[in-house]
Amino acid sequence: MKPLNIEEKLQHFAQYSMEEARGHYDGVIREYTATMEEIFQDYQEKKRRQENLEVKTETERLIRENNKRISEEQTRIRRTLSSRHDELKDKLFVEMKDRLVRFAESPAYQQLLVRQLKEAIAYARGEELILYIDPSDAERKLSLEVAVGAPVRVSSYSFNGGTRAVIPGRNILIDNSFETRLAEARENFKLKGGTGNE
């Protein structure tokens, strides 16, 4: 091999240096590119998480808001239904009271009083018994006493018809008054309807 002169050596050195610099430069570029790519990936992931969190937060807010509106509307509907239910219930019981007043004028009412009083007498089984009728039925007192074969008292306060009986020895009240029956019916009353199969 022939020895190289200075110019060839310089050229060879320059070429070697350039290749070395290019290799080093390529390595730096690759490293920089990889670092930038990693930073970009992290940034994208962070942005995705942030967007997902924002979407989740907004979705939850909208669901809460919607649930609140639904709850408020359900409450309003319940109040309206309850108010309407109470109105209809009041009308129904006013009508029932009117019918009871009309019923109290019929012969069937006299038969009902006799039956109730006889049942109370049978229940007492010979024990002391006090039979009461409503003040509005005072004119029936004598005919009822004849029909049941026992004394009947006119109550000092109204119970809207029907009868009451007391067995003092057993501390028992037999309450067949219209007032009590109406109160029980009102308390247990449930208005059904709306679907056709209730």
Side-chain angles (χ1 to χ4, degrees):
M1 188 170 181
K2 170 177 146 186
L4 299 173
N5 65 26
I6 298 245
E7 202 172 294
E8 288 173 336
K9 283 183 185 179
L10 280 174
Q11 191 177 10
H12 180 66
F13 178 71
Q15 188 178 357
Y16 174 77
S17 294
M18 286 299 282
E19 284 174 11
E20 187 68 26
R22 265 192 219 112
H24 178 68
Y25 174 75
D26 285 347
V28 167
I29 293 288
R30 275 193 304 275
E31 193 177 307
Y32 178 78
T33 302
T35 301
M36 288 294 111
E37 191 66 37
E38 193 177 311
I39 289 170
F40 182 64
Q41 292 296 327
D42 287 348
Y43 171 78
Q44 282 185 319
E45 184 59 33
K46 184 179 175 185
K47 275 309 243 183
R48 266 194 299 273
R49 282 195 305 267
Q50 186 179 357
E51 287 170 1
N52 288 341
L53 181 62
E54 286 173 5
V55 167
K56 183 181 176 189
T57 303
E58 183 63 13
T59 301
E60 288 172 354
R61 185 190 70 77
L62 289 171
I63 288 171
R64 276 194 311 274
E65 202 173 282
N66 193 42
N67 287 343
K68 183 182 174 190
R69 279 197 211 113
I70 288 170
S71 178
E72 287 170 353
E73 186 63 15
Q74 286 174 333
T75 301
R76 188 191 67 74
I77 289 169
R78 272 192 224 105
R79 282 187 189 131
T80 302
L81 285 174
S82 178
S83 173
R84 187 66 180 135
H85 179 270
D86 290 344
E87 285 175 31
L88 291 173
K89 189 175 180 179
D90 289 343
K91 283 181 184 178
L92 176 66
F93 280 90
V94 164
E95 186 178 327
M96 284 179 69
K97 281 182 182 177
D98 289 345
R99 286 185 180 203
L100 286 173
V101 167
R102 286 195 302 275
F103 174 69
E105 297 166 359
S106 72
Y109 178 63
Q110 176 83 11
Q111 293 167 1
L112 173 71
L113 295 178
V114 169
R115 190 179 84 245
Q116 288 178 349
L117 294 170
K118 282 184 176 179
E119 286 172 358
I121 292 167
Y123 186 79
R125 292 191 209 123
E127 289 188 50
E128 179 190 358
L129 176 70
I130 305 168
L131 301 170
Y132 291 99
I133 58 172
D134 192 82
S136 63
D137 297 322
E139 76 281 352
R140 302 174 191 262
K141 180 180 180 307
L142 291 176
S143 64
L144 289 171
E145 287 176 333
V146 169
V148 300
V152 175
R153 293 185 188 177
V154 176
S155 175
S156 56
Y157 61 92
S158 176
F159 43 80
N160 297 323
T163 64
R164 286 187 173 154
V166 176
I167 305 173
R170 288 195 272 169
N171 229 7
I172 292 176
L173 168 68
I174 302 169
D175 191 347
N176 288 313
S177 67
F178 288 176
E179 179 180 78
T180 299
R181 295 294 169 93
L182 274 173
E184 288 170 356
R186 187 177 188 88
E187 186 177 325
N188 298 321
F189 180 77
K190 297 232 185 315
L191 184 65
K192 295 184 178 183
T195 61
N197 45 354
E198 289 184 349

